[in-house]
């Protein structure tokens, strides 16, 4: 697989260049995204100004929680955004073409679209992280510096895995637009706030079944040195993000592999 | 037929069924679709077996939905068979997908293999990387193909700006850059004008001859078959209705012959021969039709020559397309097959 790395890079560069043929579209997307996230941030700020904290989370801590979500979302958007449009590859029959090339089909799909508009996520995400860490007086110990990229990778794998699983469903259903909207886009709304504001069942769901809480809620406890004894199941969950990421992605990849074997292609 | 050890493709009892769900739309619908069990099964390919020898040029024909594309997609590793065995140049396509991809070239008539927004030359360069063709081999191969197909002026043009004929030339090149042993073509001449069709046919003939590339072609255009294929496999409703040489198909299957006669101006008589049908008649032109099981061509011609003063005579070879139409028209596949097996050795 690694001997093919230069080829994937070439494909990535190609897809970026192809996209840059449509510069105006790109610019508008970027601006729209920035406004979207600023709006989201605005809502959280208004709540905080009014109530001083959300379920015991101060302004700085909320900013960090939000930053972790948006920054990891930036990476997963950069890498996995093509999966959101995977339906088109199936409907147009273009997936056939990827199967008659001696490269991994999934990596070809991922390389076919590198979403540069995730610059918006990185801008907003890193600003929120920096502001949140500073304001809440986060102390960057050695352990935290080491764990940060690992937790980030885990969070990206969770989000990538979810996108992959939703894309894989297309092999059976041919269409998955509505699933993309519900599961990939809208579900993020759940973790804009600390999940401790929800009842037990929602928290359990977001931890065990649809483990979005590992993207920002649990690792934030570690980074912000919050009291982890209040966590739902076990204090160790604050370190659980990498493992959760691996499990989600492995399951999604298994579903994807099964999907390829079930692939029906389209008629002419 | 060819001996077995010479075969490059072997297909045994191959079937592919499709389950068609009674799909519901919307979010709730797509969730329901995941669990609902209301499917109907369609046998796109139904227990077929054949083998193809190295260097063969095979026409794979059938009506829409007969299972042509499905077979090609299984041979190229795109689809996984429901049952049966496939070996293509030593690989099972859907299992050793990557290895199989190196041995085959694929051209889908309606879809390009090239990158829509990139100049042609860059697509070729990407394919060179993907198939890891050594620089020297690539150069030699590319120069040869580019010269034969006159690609020079097209190389800097983005693919989306090419005409269909130009794109087909580029797609053919793309499929051959890694010098595959087998070339699969799905409707390569669809939508092309007559000149472009002729061009593509000549090129394919050359590839088959000079590179000794085994070629399998599906087409609706019977002139493609007539011009190119030494062997033809006819598919009807997922089953093989005929498999043999194109020549044999004409000799064995179609016993119908048509004769067109032009008489001298002063000869206004008619022609009446038992078992021969007078299809159309003008003052001095007659069109006849008969079945060779009832009367031989020789007998018909000699009788006409005796009775009339003939100015010109033309015996029409049946066209492969008409033959195939006949196969479909004259009842269903099953009855045809038994009839065919009787006429074939």
């Amino acid at each position: 697989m690694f001997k093919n790395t230069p080829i994937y890079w070439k494909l990535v560069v190609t897809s970026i260049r192809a996209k840059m043929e449509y510069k105006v579209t790109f610019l508008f997307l970027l601006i729209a995204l920035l406004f979207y996230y600023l709006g989201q941030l605005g809502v959280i700020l208004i709540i905080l100004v009014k109530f001083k904290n959300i379920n015991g989370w101060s302004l700085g801590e909320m900013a960090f929680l939000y930053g972790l979500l948006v920054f990891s979302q930036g990476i997963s958007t950069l890498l996995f955004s093509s999966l959101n449009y995977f339906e088109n590859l199936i409907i147009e029959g273009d997936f056939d073409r990827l199967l008659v090339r001696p490269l991994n089909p999934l990596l070809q799909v991922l390389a076919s679209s590198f979403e540069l508009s995730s610059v918006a996520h990185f801008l907003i995400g890193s600003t929120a992280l920096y502001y949140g860490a500073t304001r809440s007086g986060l102390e960057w110990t050695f352990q935290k510096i080491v764990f940060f990229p690992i937790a980030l990778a885990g969070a990206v794998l969770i989000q990538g895995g979810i996108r992959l699983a939703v894309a894989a469903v297309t092999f059976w259903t041919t269409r998955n637009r509505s699933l993309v909207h519900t599961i990939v886009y809208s579900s993020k709304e759940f973790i804009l706030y600390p999940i401790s504001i929800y009842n037990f069942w929602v928290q359990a769901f977001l931890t065990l079944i649809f483990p979005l809480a590992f993207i920002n809620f649990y690792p934030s406890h570690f980074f912000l040195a919050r009291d982890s004894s209040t966590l739902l199941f076990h204090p160790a969950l604050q370190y659980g993000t990498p493992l959760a990421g691996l499990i989600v992605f492995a399951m999604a990849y298994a579903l994807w592999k099964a999907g390829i074997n079930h692939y029906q292609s389209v008629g002419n | 037929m060819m001996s077995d050890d010479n075969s490059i493709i072997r297909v045994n009892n191959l079937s592919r069924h499709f389950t068609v769900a009674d799909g519901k739309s919307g979010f709730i619908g797509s969730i329901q679709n995941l669990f609902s069990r209301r499917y109907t099964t369609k046998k796109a390919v139904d227990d077929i077996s054949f083998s193809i020898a190295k260097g063969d040029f095979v026409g794979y024909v059938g009506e829409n939905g007969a299972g042509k594309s499905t077979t090609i997609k299984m041979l190229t590793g795109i689809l996984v068979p429901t049952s049966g065995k496939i070996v293509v140049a030593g690989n099972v396509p859907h299992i050793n997908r990557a290895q199989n991809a190196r041995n085959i070239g694929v051209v889908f008539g309606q879809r390009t293999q090239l990158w829509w927004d990139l100049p042609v030359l860059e697509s070729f360069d990407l394919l060179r990387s993907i198939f890891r063709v050594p620089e020297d081999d690539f150069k030699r191969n590319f120069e040869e193909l580019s010269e034969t197909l006159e690609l020079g002026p097209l190389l800097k043009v983005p693919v989306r700006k090419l005409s269909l004929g130009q794109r087909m030339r580029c797609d053919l090149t793309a499929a051959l850059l890694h010098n595959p042993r087998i070339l699969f073509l799905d409707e390569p001449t669809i939508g092309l004008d007559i000149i472009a069709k002729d061009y593509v046919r000549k090129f394919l003939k050359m590839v088959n001859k000079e590179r000794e590339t085994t070629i399998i072609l599906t087409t609706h255009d019977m002139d493609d078959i007539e011009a190119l294929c030494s062997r033809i496999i006819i598919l009807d409703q997922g089953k093989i209705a005929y498999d043999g040489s194109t020549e044999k198909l004409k000799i064995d299957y179609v016993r119908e012959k048509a004769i067109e006669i032009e008489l001298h101006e002063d000869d206004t008589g008619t022609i009446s021969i038992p078992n021969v049908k007078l299809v159309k008649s003008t003052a001095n032109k007659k069109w006849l039709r008969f079945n060779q099981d009832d009367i031989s061509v020789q007998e018909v011609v000699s009788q006409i020559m005796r009775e009339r003063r003939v100015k010109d005579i033309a015996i029409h070879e049946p066209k492969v397309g008409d033959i195939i139409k006949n196969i479909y028209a004259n009842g269903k596949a099953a009855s045809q097959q038994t009839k065919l097996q009787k006429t074939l050795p």
Side-chain angles (χ1 to χ4, degrees):
Chain A
M1 196 169 116
F2 291 105
K3 61 181 183 250
N4 283 326
T5 310
I7 303 168
Y8 292 116
W9 259 118
K10 237 172 158 173
L11 289 172
V12 166
V13 172
T14 304
S15 76
I16 291 173
R17 284 186 41 209
K19 208 164 263 171
M20 285 301 117
E21 296 253 309
Y22 309 96
K23 287 193 190 72
V24 181
T25 317
F26 172 75
L27 217 63
F28 274 108
L29 182 62
L30 198 63
I31 293 169
L33 274 173
L34 278 170
F35 272 101
Y36 174 80
Y37 286 110
L38 286 174
Q40 212 169 44
L41 211 51
V43 173
I44 298 174
L45 273 174
I46 289 168
I47 299 175
L48 279 167
V49 166
K50 203 148 185 211
F51 298 100
K52 295 288 176 276
N53 69 60
I54 295 177
N55 205 20
W57 289 63
S58 68
L59 178 63
E61 290 173 317
M62 280 301 295
F64 189 83
L65 185 80
Y66 183 78
L68 211 50
L69 166 65
V70 176
F71 196 81
S72 63
Q73 204 179 333
I75 303 175
S76 70
T77 300
L78 182 71
L79 297 175
F80 299 104
S81 68
S82 52
L83 291 172
N84 291 350
Y85 311 102
F86 185 63
E87 173 188 281
N88 297 345
L89 272 185
I90 297 282
I91 295 170
E92 308 281 324
D94 290 330
F95 190 64
D96 288 6
R97 184 180 56 203
L98 307 188
L99 290 175
V100 294
R101 290 183 188 151
L103 292 177
N104 182 311
L106 175 59
L107 289 173
Q108 289 187 73
V109 173
L110 298 185
S112 72
S113 168
F114 233 54
E115 194 50 70
L116 290 183
S117 65
S118 49
V119 170
H121 298 87
F122 292 134
L123 275 176
I124 303 270
S126 52
T127 310
L129 277 174
Y130 178 77
Y131 174 77
T134 317
R135 174 149 183 142
S136 60
L138 188 151
E139 225 180 294
W140 284 105
T141 61
F142 177 70
Q143 284 95 324
K144 284 182 188 172
I145 291 170
V146 172
F147 190 63
F148 188 76
I150 300 174
L152 205 57
V156 170
L157 281 179
I158 293 172
Q159 300 184 44
I162 291 168
R163 286 177 199 245
L164 181 59
V166 168
V169 169
T170 319
F171 287 118
W172 285 274
T173 60
T174 318
R175 288 176 192 278
N176 75 339
R177 207 90 281 265
S178 44
L179 279 182
V180 169
H181 281 285
T182 337
I183 297 184
V184 178
Y185 295 141
S186 311
S187 65
K188 301 271 162 57
E189 309 283 332
F190 274 119
I191 51 170
L192 288 178
Y193 309 97
I195 65 159
S196 48
I197 63 168
Y198 304 115
N199 71 29
F200 172 83
W201 293 109
V202 176
Q203 289 190 54
F205 178 76
L206 292 174
T207 304
L208 299 172
I209 298 177
F210 194 53
L212 295 178
F214 287 102
I215 293 172
N216 61 353
F217 178 72
Y218 289 122
S220 288
H221 276 78
F222 172 68
F223 291 115
L224 298 169
R226 285 184 64 90
D227 180 9
S228 59
S229 64
T230 60
L231 291 179
L232 197 55
F233 296 103
H234 196 278
L237 288 179
Q238 61 183 319
Y239 312 109
T241 305
L243 185 65
L246 286 175
I247 292 173
V248 170
F249 200 83
M251 284 169 68
Y253 193 65
L255 186 69
W256 166 267
K257 291 283 264 188
I260 286 186
N261 285 338
H262 189 271
Y263 179 49
Q264 302 218 351
S265 191
V266 286
N268 291 330
Chain B
M1 215 149 288
M2 314 291 172
S3 71
D4 228 18
D5 31 297
N6 197 24
S7 69
I8 193 162
I9 295 177
R10 247 171 301 150
V11 171
N12 288 317
N13 304 102
L14 181 68
S15 293
R16 171 71 204 213
H17 301 169
F18 287 109
T19 47
V20 188
D22 306 320
K24 294 178 186 129
S25 56
F27 171 65
I28 302 295
S30 60
I31 296 281
Q32 282 175 334
N33 287 342
L34 281 176
F35 302 104
S36 82
R37 287 280 147 226
R38 290 186 54 203
Y39 294 121
T40 42
T41 302
K42 184 180 174 287
K43 292 177 180 174
V45 170
D46 189 8
D47 193 25
I48 63 170
S49 302
F50 60 83
S51 78
I52 287 170
K54 271 180 209 150
D56 258 4
F57 201 136
V58 180
Y60 201 69
V61 300
E63 292 177 309
N64 282 332
K68 297 168 296 187
S69 293
T70 305
T71 314
I72 298 292
K73 281 175 184 169
M74 287 191 281
L75 293 172
T76 50
I78 293 170
L79 290 177
V80 178
T82 305
S83 63
K85 271 169 78 175
I86 309 176
V87 180
V88 175
N91 293 308
V92 179
H94 64 275
I95 293 171
N96 319 103
R97 207 175 265 130
Q99 283 105 305
N100 189 50
R102 290 179 198 287
N103 287 327
I104 63 171
V106 185
V107 176
F108 296 120
Q110 302 105 315
R111 293 186 202 121
T112 182
Q113 296 274 72
L114 307 166
W115 281 257
W116 201 241
D117 292 314
L118 287 189
V120 175
L121 193 59
E122 288 188 38
S123 280
F124 291 161
D125 186 51
L126 279 170
L127 287 169
R128 184 188 72 76
S129 305
I130 288 174
F131 284 92
R132 279 193 262 138
V133 186
E135 199 83 49
D136 293 347
D137 293 2
F138 175 79
K139 217 172 164 200
R140 189 158 18 86
N141 206 358
F142 170 69
E143 269 163 21
E144 191 189 317
L145 289 164
S146 152
E147 196 176 319
T148 326
L149 289 168
E150 300 165 72
L151 298 184
L154 308 179
L155 293 174
K156 298 237 159 76
V157 182
V159 174
R160 61 167 189 267
K161 289 189 178 152
L162 297 178
S163 76
L164 201 58
Q166 291 171 331
R167 210 182 74 196
M168 182 46 66
R169 273 147 64 193
C170 295
D171 259 316
L172 284 168
T173 307
L176 290 167
L177 281 176
H178 56 293
N179 207 6
R181 298 167 67 189
I182 309 166
L183 183 60
F184 292 99
L185 303 150
D186 199 2
E187 304 278 359
T189 58
I190 201 161
L192 300 184
D193 62 48
I194 297 172
I195 296 164
K197 271 184 187 176
D198 197 49
Y199 198 97
V200 168
R201 284 180 195 139
K202 278 193 182 131
F203 175 73
L204 292 176
K205 217 167 193 163
M206 190 210 79
V207 168
N208 176 243
K209 213 171 187 173
E210 287 175 17
R211 296 181 173 230
E212 294 173 343
T213 311
T214 309
I215 302 184
I216 291 112
L217 164 141
T218 80
T219 184
H220 270 97
D221 189 330
M222 291 311 142
D223 296 337
D224 284 348
I225 303 285
E226 193 111 44
L228 295 170
C229 304
S230 53
R231 178 173 160 199
I232 181 168
I233 298 176
I234 303 174
L235 222 60
D236 187 19
Q237 299 182 12
K239 286 183 178 294
I240 291 177
Y242 177 85
D243 178 1
S245 79
T246 314
E247 275 311 299
K248 225 171 163 50
L249 180 73
K250 291 186 194 172
I251 299 163
D252 288 344
Y253 194 70
V254 172
R255 313 297 296 160
E256 251 326 72
K257 282 258 163 168
I259 295 184
E260 193 183 330
I261 295 148
E262 195 179 345
L263 301 176
H264 268 281
E265 285 77 12
D266 50 350
D267 190 343
T268 52
T270 56
I271 296 170
S272 159
I273 306 167
N275 289 324
V276 177
K277 208 163 84 187
L278 187 64
V279 183
K280 201 174 151 196
S281 171
T282 62
N284 51 6
K285 266 199 146 183
K286 317 280 171 203
W287 287 266
L288 305 174
R289 211 157 227 224
F290 58 93
N291 191 311
Q292 292 177 82
D293 289 337
D294 305 324
I295 185 165
S296 74
V297 178
Q298 200 191 348
E299 272 175 86
V300 176
V301 173
S302 62
Q303 197 168 336
I304 296 168
M305 296 302 253
R306 266 202 313 275
E307 292 173 2
R308 304 258 73 92
R309 293 185 55 211
V310 175
K311 195 172 163 192
D312 194 10
I313 189 161
I315 301 167
H316 291 299
E317 274 285 303
K319 285 216 151 195
V320 175
D322 298 330
I323 301 170
I324 292 165
K325 265 181 228 148
N326 266 341
I327 292 185
Y328 294 131
N330 300 344
K332 283 296 123 195
S335 60
Q336 290 296 333
Q337 212 165 4
T338 49
K339 196 169 150 197
L340 276 167
Q341 270 153 7
K342 265 184 235 159
T343 53
L344 295 171

